[in-house]
């Protein structure tokens, strides 16, 4: 979250029937180029902007090499490949030759072929014109678009705070995901990579999903965020292996370029960038704005480009604001006005939280599945005005968020200075090293070994060998 305003980063994550599936588009039309060029700036804004430097140049090289195999363009230069400064495992492509991958996904991939498989899958969606056969849903990147599906199922309530960039997300069918998998495998095979990398990357995403759920206290509960739009599972991994075998390429006979890849991502930012604020467990801290708050146990936080979302079984919340010191009454009214549907704030209640002036207002909203409480809780902190936008079941008021709204606080200069981000460090396994000794070097207070195994694509019984290179997440 940079300069906070009410907007949540839209997530369009990896998804994924025979290997000979046909693609519908054979070239990049002028209309598609215009569409992509128009959408590109908004996508950059929603996903944290473009990450620059040698890793970005490398991602462009890999992305163009795989995208040209789709036949959509006559030259690699026709594709615009962007590395996004986002802490979400994400990749997507839009018409016009625009291909995107986040730096976080680059840290999860273990070799160049796995990265290429991700990008090939997304280009496959474009080549098969899957967007044309699905209903398009305009999403303004706000919490209600999440809460509508998770809490109420009402699309009308999903029009919250409609000032973000209007993007398009697609819910692909299982058949479309399989078709994109097949096309991606075709593309990376034609480009010379190991086609079995696709199954390995899907397996890595499965392991990361399980870890994310465990860390959030929701082990085995419900679908992960990316799987809600892009179904995955062990069956899909096995299917990708079968499709790769149909290429006739024997496993291990094609390059994966692991060492080259690891050298490229050495030093890459992992997780949140301090300039956008840091989510550490259940606490969010922003060193530049000098603010912090703590989410309830069992709730998951996501730090988007412009806001922080908090989600769990008892409700949904979004934290935003910071765009000047508007009066609390005016700020609350502006947030409610952005909800649409004629939403009107109730009486404004004034209070003090950790020495800061604060105020709140609630209203009742009707949905297709019943009524919900909508609350705006705002604060004046320094030169900025901030707020939580909360959605809870009707009659519960603040519900599980009571402690969170009371936890909002200012950080001292010394506290802000101690906030550090994390980065990827590539190390060579020594003769006396083991998974256990290397895992202890990971910059986490919990689940160090599990995190190390997921990061390096190691199964539960997998070991490391002296002389090989592995990834660590370290402070700095």
């Amino acid at each position: 979250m940079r300069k906070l305003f009410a907007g949540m980063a839209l997530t369009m994550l990896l998804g994924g029937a025979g290997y000979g599936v046909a693609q519908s588009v054979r070239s990049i039309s002028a209309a598609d180029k215009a569409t992509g060029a128009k959408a590109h700036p908004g996508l950059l804004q929603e996903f944290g902007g473009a990450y620059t430097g040698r890793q970005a140049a490398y991602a462009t090289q890999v992305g163009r090499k795989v995208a040209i195999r789709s036949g959509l363009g006559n030259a690699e230069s026709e594709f615009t490949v962007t590395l996004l400064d986002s802490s979400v495992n994400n990749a997507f492509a839009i018409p016009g030759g625009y291909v995107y991958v986040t730096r976080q996904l680059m840290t999860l991939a273990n070799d160049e072929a796995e990265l290429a498989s991700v990008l090939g899958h997304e280009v496959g969606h474009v080549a098969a014109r899957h967007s044309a056969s699905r209903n398009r849903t305009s999403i303004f990147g706000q919490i209600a678009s999440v809460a509508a599906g998770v809490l109420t199922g009402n699309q009308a309530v999903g029009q919250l705070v409609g000032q973000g960039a209007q993007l398009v997300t697609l819910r692909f069918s299982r058949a479309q995901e399989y078709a994109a998998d097949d096309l991606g495998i075709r593309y990376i095979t034609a480009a010379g990579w190991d086609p079995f990398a696709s199954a390995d990357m899907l397996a890595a995403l499965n392991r990361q999903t399980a870890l994310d759920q465990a860390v959030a206290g929701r082990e085995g509960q419900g679908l992960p965020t990316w799987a809600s739009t892009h179904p995955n599972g062990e069956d899909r991994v096995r299917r990708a292996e079968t499709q790769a075998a149909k290429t006739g390429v024997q496993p291990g006979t094609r390059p994966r370029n692991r060492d080259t890849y690891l050298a490229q991502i050495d030093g890459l930012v992992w997780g949140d960038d301090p300039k956008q604020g840091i989510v550490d467990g259940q606490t969010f801290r922003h060193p530049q704005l000098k603010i912090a708050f703590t989410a309830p146990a069992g709730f998951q936080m996501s730090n988007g480009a412009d806001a922080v979302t908090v989600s769990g079984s008892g409700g949904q919340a979004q934290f935003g604001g910071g765009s000047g010191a508007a009066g609390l009454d005016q700020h609350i009214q502006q947030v409610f006005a952005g909800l649409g549907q004629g939403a009107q704030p109730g009486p404004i209640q004034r209070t003090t939280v950790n020495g800061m002036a604060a105020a709140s207002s609630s209203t009742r909203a009707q949905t297709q599945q019943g009524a919900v409480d909508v609350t705006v809780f705002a604060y004046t902190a320094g030169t900025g005005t901030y707020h939580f936008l909360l959605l809870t079941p009707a009659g519960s008021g603040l519900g599980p968020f009571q402690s969170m709204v009371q936890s909002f606080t200012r950080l001292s200069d010394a506290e802000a200075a101690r906030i550090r981000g994390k980065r990827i460090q590539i190390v060579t396994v020594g003769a006396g090293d083991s998974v256990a000794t290397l895992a202890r070097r990971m910059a986490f207070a919990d689940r160090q070994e599990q995190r190390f195994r997921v990061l390096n694509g190691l199964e539960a019984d997998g070991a490391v060998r002296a002389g090989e290179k592995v990834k660590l997440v370290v402070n700095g």
Side-chain angles (χ1 to χ4, degrees):
M1 190 179 73
R2 298 186 302 273
K3 186 175 181 181
L4 307 179
F5 205 75
M8 183 190 73
L10 173 68
T11 303
M12 293 186 285
L13 288 162
L14 259 182
Y19 178 71
V21 65
Q23 65 181 63
S24 301
V25 178
R26 292 295 176 183
S27 63
I28 302 175
S29 68
D32 283 349
K33 289 180 180 179
T35 297
K38 183 177 181 180
H40 181 65
L43 287 168
L44 291 181
Q45 180 180 355
E46 287 296 307
F47 285 94
Y51 195 87
T52 58
R54 61 184 176 86
Q55 288 100 355
Y58 179 64
T60 294
Q61 174 189 335
V62 174
R64 285 179 169 177
K65 182 178 177 181
V66 67
I68 192 66
R69 300 298 173 173
S70 69
L72 298 182
N74 294 319
E76 290 187 4
S77 59
E78 292 189 52
F79 297 93
T80 300
V81 181
T82 304
L83 180 62
L84 297 167
D85 190 6
S86 171
S87 61
V88 176
N89 286 304
N90 198 342
F92 56 95
I94 60 174
Y98 290 83
V99 186
Y100 306 85
V101 61
T102 64
R103 57 172 170 77
Q104 191 72 5
L105 190 144
M106 281 194 74
T107 69
L108 181 62
N110 280 288
D111 55 51
E112 187 178 277
E114 289 185 6
L115 175 64
S117 76
V118 168
L119 298 174
H121 170 97
E122 300 302 340
V123 173
H125 277 307
V126 176
R129 300 194 72 242
H130 287 156
S131 62
S133 61
R134 304 299 293 169
N135 291 329
R136 293 171 178 261
T137 302
S138 295
I139 295 195
F140 290 83
Q142 271 57 29
I143 184 177
S145 60
V146 176
V150 177
L151 184 62
T152 70
N154 183 359
Q155 292 302 314
V157 181
Q159 303 293 325
L160 288 184
V161 199
Q163 298 300 316
Q166 184 176 7
L167 303 178
V168 175
T169 185
L170 301 171
R171 186 177 294 274
F172 297 118
S173 69
R174 185 174 299 275
Q176 289 173 326
E177 292 300 337
Y178 287 162
D181 282 349
D182 295 349
L183 289 171
I185 291 170
R186 177 193 297 177
Y187 301 156
I188 65 173
T189 303
W193 284 295
D194 184 346
F196 292 89
S198 177
D200 292 340
M201 190 68 229
L202 290 169
L205 282 164
N206 280 344
R207 289 190 292 265
Q208 184 63 54
T209 294
L211 173 59
D212 290 343
Q213 290 181 321
V215 169
R218 298 188 294 104
E219 209 159 0
Q221 298 177 20
L223 286 173
T225 301
W226 64 270
S228 65
T229 52
H230 296 76
N232 192 19
E234 291 303 319
D235 58 335
R236 186 167 164 213
V237 174
R238 289 191 294 269
R239 185 186 178 283
E241 290 174 341
T242 299
Q243 298 305 105
K246 290 180 181 180
T247 66
V249 176
Q250 294 300 309
T253 61
R254 286 286 190 90
R256 301 284 289 258
N257 298 339
R258 175 179 168 81
D259 285 353
T260 298
Y261 185 80
L262 295 180
Q264 287 289 341
I265 67 171
D266 190 23
L268 189 61
V269 173
W270 185 96
D272 294 328
D273 191 321
K275 69 176 182 289
Q276 297 182 16
I278 297 287
V279 173
D280 186 5
Q282 296 304 108
T283 300
F284 174 79
R285 298 181 180 90
H286 201 300
Q288 294 180 355
L289 300 174
K290 298 180 182 177
I291 57 174
F293 67 86
T294 301
F299 279 66
Q300 187 169 11
M301 278 199 289
S302 176
N303 186 15
D306 298 299
V308 181
T309 60
V310 182
S311 59
S313 59
Q316 306 289 316
Q318 184 189 67
F319 178 76
S323 57
L328 289 175
D329 288 17
Q330 180 185 0
H331 188 86
I332 289 173
Q333 290 166 357
Q334 288 175 346
V335 175
F336 272 103
L339 303 183
Q341 309 301 313
Q344 295 294 325
I348 294 178
Q349 307 293 325
R350 300 187 179 282
T351 187
T352 301
V353 175
N354 296 320
M356 295 172 288
S360 64
S361 178
S362 298
T363 192
R364 185 67 54 85
Q366 294 297 324
T367 75
Q368 293 176 351
Q369 297 182 0
V372 296
D373 288 341
V374 182
T375 302
V376 177
F377 203 107
Y379 316 79
T380 298
T383 60
T385 304
Y386 304 88
H387 70 268
F388 287 104
L389 175 58
L390 312 164
L391 290 141
T392 55
S396 60
L398 293 175
F401 300 123
Q402 179 68 50
S403 62
M404 184 175 72
V405 299
Q406 294 296 324
S407 72
F408 181 72
T409 188
R410 292 279 288 166
L411 299 174
S412 68
D413 290 345
E415 289 172 327
R418 287 196 293 268
I419 297 173
R420 303 171 64 190
K422 295 179 173 67
R423 62 181 177 84
I424 291 291
Q425 182 182 59
I426 305 302
V427 301
T428 301
V429 179
D433 283 332
S434 66
V435 169
T437 62
L438 291 165
R440 286 197 289 270
R441 297 165 62 181
M442 296 277 283
F444 299 98
D446 65 335
R447 300 179 181 272
Q448 288 177 309
E449 184 168 326
Q450 184 181 5
R451 293 178 190 272
F452 177 82
R453 288 185 180 278
V454 169
L455 184 67
N456 288 284
L458 288 173
E459 300 289 349
D461 58 349
V464 293
R465 299 185 303 275
E468 72 176 346
K469 297 183 185 301
V470 294
K471 295 177 283 183
L472 298 176
V473 176
V474 299
N475 290 317

